[in-house]
Amino acid sequence: MAEMTPEQQQALAIAAARLRLQKQPQQPQGLPADDAISVSRTGIGGLIEGIPIAGPIVRDWTERAAGATLAAFSDETYDQVMDRIHDANRAEKEANPIVDKGAQITGAVAGTIPAVMAAPAAFGAGGGSLLLRSGISGLTGATIGGVDAGVRSGGDAEKIKEGITMGGLFGLGGPVAGKVVGAGARALADAVRTRAAARIAGMDPQAFGYFRRAVTDDGLDAVSLPQKLQEMGSNAIPADLGPNLQKQAGALAATPGAAQTTIRTTLADRAAGANARIGQTIDETTGRNVVPSEVQADIAANQNAHSPLYREAFREARPYSTEPIASALEADIGRLRGPAQARLRQVRGMLNIADSNVLSTDPGVMFQTRQAIDGLLKTEIDPKVISALTEARQMLDDGLTRAVPRIKEIDAGYAELARQDEAVTRGQQVLDSGRTAPRPSELAGEVERGAQPQGMQIGPSAVPLRLSQGARAEIDRIVGTNSNDIVAMNRLIKGEGDWNRARLATLFGPEKAERLFKVLDNESVWADTANTVTRNSETAARLAAQNELGGGVGNFGVKEAFKAGGFLGAARSAAIDKVDDIVKALMSSETGNATRESLARALIGEQREKLVEGLMKAKTMGTTPTLVDPVVKALLLNGGTARTR
């Protein structure tokens, strides 16, 4: 340089300046390293580099590929280009440290989340105790931390050791942190979900929370609740569906205000219509009510109407010798002893002409004797007497058939009416629980045989109809004597087992019997709801008044319950206390009237469709948002490895 002329030195300086300009990074001269393009490059590079283990490798490959491409289209060597790229990266990182660190954290978390979701058990999200899951998570964290540190440090033993230590420590706390953060996230999400669901249901958020908790505790959900209400009919309300819902209704019924009026008025109005609803259903399923005595009086009148027919038939009668019948009776009298012998002597005497020992040949005497035997058979209980009288009657009946040709036609009509009269009485025994009540199979047989015509009768018998009328009359008697006790009415009509259901199905048809029993079941549930809500509300009101006046009894908690009933007593006490907490909250002055009124309207089933929509919206309540646990674990694991970067 000393031997050069000033002009030569100036030319050389210009050439060197041009060369330096050519070797400058691609950003324009004088542009700072924190401009928008540099910030963008820093962020993208940080995202890639932050990916655990693979990030540095991927970024290195990307930069090497870029360097090879630039070297191929310039007069620089590959090493010169790579040096320039590295220098530019360092400058941009130094100019944008926050962007670089944030991007690396984001890349680390985003790169770890797929692994946590793909193998949750390896990160402490599997089964087993918290200690076991923490140990597994710590082992995974130590592995990731050591490998990542080795990749980034080029195999530095100290860095690897530090990565294992920090990764293991942070991984060890992953399950605990995930549980804690998950609970917080779940609570926050539930608060948002509750407000959204309450808005859909048209309810106060706090009231909706109470309502949903009772629905859940009673084993219901957005699907089963409307189904059960539909099964129970249009008069059913949510408070009918479980003890927790009933407890809430009881608390509201005990607290003065609009909610109390809503609950009590709804239950009172429904109870007032119970007898009318039951009566309508009974009429629709078992037919018009009848009075047995009136039916039997009509039957007796129709039997009496046969008297002129008998008189007309006897005008054509011929004298008939009863000698064979008398001889047979005398033979039986000589053989029998006791009441049977006495009864046959009585019958034998009826065959004589009045006030004589001469046998009558008048068919009318035989007819009257047969009628007398029928009267004796109605009250007789001795089987031997019944057998002897029945045989004697049959002989007289055969004689009358030969002596009076048309008598069997008239007998058939009279006998049909007698069978109907017996069927009315028998029908009133159908719902009995004693020995006189027929078994379902016996009643089915009686109905089948009763429908068949007897003797010279033409057409089906009305015996099945009379059986059903007798049963219908008994149902009316039960309803009339238990109109103020729906539960007792239900028990008497349904019985203890399945027999009454089967017997009523035989008389009125399975569908009608099932419908009747369903209505009775529903009314029984509704009556129980009213009683429970009223009883609970009165008890709660008394306790509240006692506490207010300083006369309340001491707390009886889980400890006292355990002393009284052991583990089962303690469990029951804890379950009841859980419900009682809500009851106390509802009765508390801290719970506003608007909340109570909103809950009351939900419990009586106003706007059912909106309630169901709100419950559907709240189905995800109690669940942690999907990405919370993976994100927490990813942050912890990468927090441990960050010290080695």
Side-chain angles (χ1 to χ4, degrees):
M1 288 289 292
E3 297 176 354
M4 290 182 180
T5 64
E7 291 79 6
Q8 290 176 330
Q9 292 178 356
Q10 184 178 5
L12 181 60
I14 292 172
R18 288 177 177 174
L19 181 60
R20 285 197 300 272
L21 287 174
Q22 291 175 354
K23 293 182 179 182
Q24 283 287 336
Q26 292 182 351
Q27 65 184 41
Q29 186 177 4
L31 191 65
D34 59 354
D35 62 286
I37 296 176
S38 297
V39 171
S40 176
R41 279 201 301 264
T42 303
I44 295 172
L47 283 173
I48 297 172
E49 187 176 346
I51 299 173
I53 302 174
I57 299 174
V58 172
R59 181 162 189 177
D60 184 60
W61 288 348
T62 303
E63 291 178 350
R64 288 180 181 276
T69 302
L70 291 174
F73 293 95
S74 70
D75 56 355
E76 291 181 289
T77 65
Y78 172 77
D79 290 337
Q80 290 174 328
V81 173
M82 290 304 299
D83 289 341
R84 185 155 52 87
I85 290 175
H86 291 157
D87 291 341
N89 287 342
R90 280 192 296 271
E92 289 176 343
K93 284 187 176 185
E94 291 173 357
N96 307 286
I98 297 177
V99 174
D100 179 55
K101 182 59 67 175
Q104 289 209 37
I105 293 174
T106 303
V109 173
T112 308
I113 287 176
V116 176
M117 298 182 70
F123 293 87
S129 65
L130 181 62
L131 181 62
L132 175 62
R133 290 186 284 113
S134 296
I136 294 173
S137 178
L139 182 61
T140 302
T143 302
I144 293 175
V147 175
D148 185 71
V151 171
R152 295 178 188 276
S153 66
D156 187 301
E158 288 298 324
K159 290 291 186 181
I160 293 174
K161 180 180 178 181
E162 185 179 359
I164 292 173
T165 302
M166 299 306 297
L169 288 174
F170 279 83
L172 191 67
V176 176
K179 187 174 182 179
V180 173
V181 175
R186 183 167 58 250
L188 181 61
D190 282 353
V192 175
R193 292 165 181 162
T194 297
R195 288 193 170 276
R199 189 164 50 251
I200 293 174
M203 292 182 64
D204 173 86
Q206 187 177 9
F208 181 79
Y210 288 145
F211 179 75
R212 180 185 173 277
R213 177 173 174 178
V215 168
T216 303
D217 289 346
D218 283 332
L220 303 169
D221 55 28
V223 177
S224 59
L225 185 140
Q227 287 178 345
K228 287 185 176 294
L229 288 176
Q230 184 176 7
E231 290 172 2
M232 293 182 71
S234 59
N235 289 288
I237 61 176
D240 296 319
L241 303 183
N244 292 282
L245 290 164
Q246 287 181 356
K247 279 247 184 181
Q248 290 186 358
L252 295 176
T255 308
Q260 181 186 66
T261 303
T262 298
I263 295 292
R264 288 183 173 273
T265 301
T266 299
L267 295 179
D269 290 346
R270 186 173 68 175
N275 289 331
R277 290 190 298 270
I278 292 174
Q280 180 181 355
T281 302
I282 291 175
D283 287 342
E284 293 173 353
T285 55
T286 63
R288 180 180 60 86
N289 181 44
V290 297
V291 179
S293 60
E294 294 177 357
V295 174
Q296 291 175 315
D298 289 341
I299 292 174
N302 290 331
Q303 285 179 317
N304 292 333
H306 281 67
S307 296
L309 299 177
Y310 277 113
R311 285 194 295 270
E312 182 67 26
F314 274 95
R315 288 195 184 99
E316 303 173 3
R318 300 183 297 272
Y320 185 81
S321 174
T322 57
E323 180 65 33
I325 298 174
S327 297
L329 290 174
E330 290 170 356
D332 288 339
I333 291 170
R335 176 176 54 83
L336 295 172
R337 295 293 183 271
Q341 184 186 58
R343 284 300 186 189
L344 286 187
R345 279 198 181 118
Q346 185 180 1
V347 172
R348 170 62 185 83
M350 294 178 188
L351 294 177
N352 293 334
I353 297 173
D355 300 325
S356 73
N357 291 323
V358 179
L359 281 172
S360 174
T361 59
D362 182 1
V365 173
M366 283 195 297
F367 177 76
Q368 293 299 327
T369 303
R370 189 184 71 174
Q371 295 291 87
I373 292 175
D374 288 340
L376 294 173
L377 286 172
K378 286 183 178 180
T379 58
E380 188 56 63
I381 59 174
D382 190 326
K384 289 187 177 181
V385 176
I386 292 174
S387 176
L389 290 176
T390 301
E391 186 177 351
R393 187 189 189 286
Q394 185 61 52
M395 289 188 292
L396 291 169
D397 191 66
D398 292 341
L400 283 170
T401 302
R402 289 187 287 270
V404 186
R406 292 180 52 216
I407 196 169
K408 297 310 292 181
E409 298 177 14
I410 304 170
D411 279 347
Y414 191 93
E416 164 64 13
L417 292 172
R419 292 173 66 206
Q420 291 182 27
D421 183 78
E422 293 174 359
V424 172
T425 301
R426 182 61 164 167
Q428 295 175 72
Q429 300 172 344
V430 165
L431 299 180
D432 289 350
S433 58
R435 293 182 178 180
T436 58
R439 290 173 170 78
S441 59
E442 291 174 335
L443 181 62
E446 291 179 21
V447 171
E448 183 178 357
R449 292 189 299 272
Q452 304 301 320
Q454 302 292 317
M456 299 184 69
Q457 178 188 350
I458 299 174
S461 171
V463 167
L465 170 64
R466 299 305 187 188
L467 283 169
S468 65
Q469 286 181 326
R472 171 66 178 87
E474 179 62 10
I475 292 174
D476 184 68
R477 186 193 68 80
I478 292 173
V479 171
T481 55
N482 296 276
S483 59
N484 295 324
D485 191 344
I486 302 298
V487 176
M489 181 194 306
N490 187 25
R491 183 181 66 254
L492 291 171
I493 295 177
K494 291 183 60 179
E496 296 298 330
D498 294 331
W499 279 19
N500 281 6
R501 184 186 299 270
R503 291 185 287 210
L504 291 180
T506 296
L507 294 178
F508 303 107
E511 292 183 2
K512 290 183 177 181
E514 188 63 32
R515 181 185 169 197
L516 172 60
F517 276 47
K518 184 65 178 176
V519 169
L520 290 172
D521 283 339
N522 291 341
E523 292 291 347
S524 180
V525 170
W526 299 344
D528 182 68
T529 297
N531 291 335
T532 300
V533 168
T534 302
R535 183 173 64 250
N536 284 348
S537 64
E538 290 177 351
T539 301
R542 285 195 297 270
L543 290 176
Q546 288 175 355
N547 291 331
E548 183 179 359
L549 297 174
V553 296
N555 290 331
F556 187 87
V558 175
K559 178 180 178 181
E560 290 74 19
F562 177 80
K563 292 178 181 178
F567 288 106
L568 290 178
R572 285 193 296 268
S573 175
I576 293 172
D577 287 346
K578 177 183 177 184
V579 180
D580 286 345
D581 286 343
I582 296 181
V583 172
K584 292 175 183 176
L586 289 174
M587 299 179 68
S588 154
S589 60
E590 296 178 2
T591 301
N593 288 328
T595 298
R596 283 191 283 263
E597 175 64 7
S598 178
L599 179 59
R601 295 194 177 281
L603 290 170
I604 66 170
E606 283 193 4
Q607 297 182 318
R608 293 186 186 182
E609 294 78 10
K610 287 188 175 181
L611 279 177
V612 172
E613 291 177 12
L615 291 173
M616 288 292 292
K617 179 69 176 178
K619 283 181 67 175
T620 57
M621 288 180 64
T623 59
T624 304
T626 307
L627 290 177
V628 169
D629 192 59
V631 168
V632 171
K633 289 181 170 61
L635 283 170
L636 282 174
L637 287 173
N638 290 285
T641 60
R643 291 175 60 90
T644 64
R645 299 180 183 180

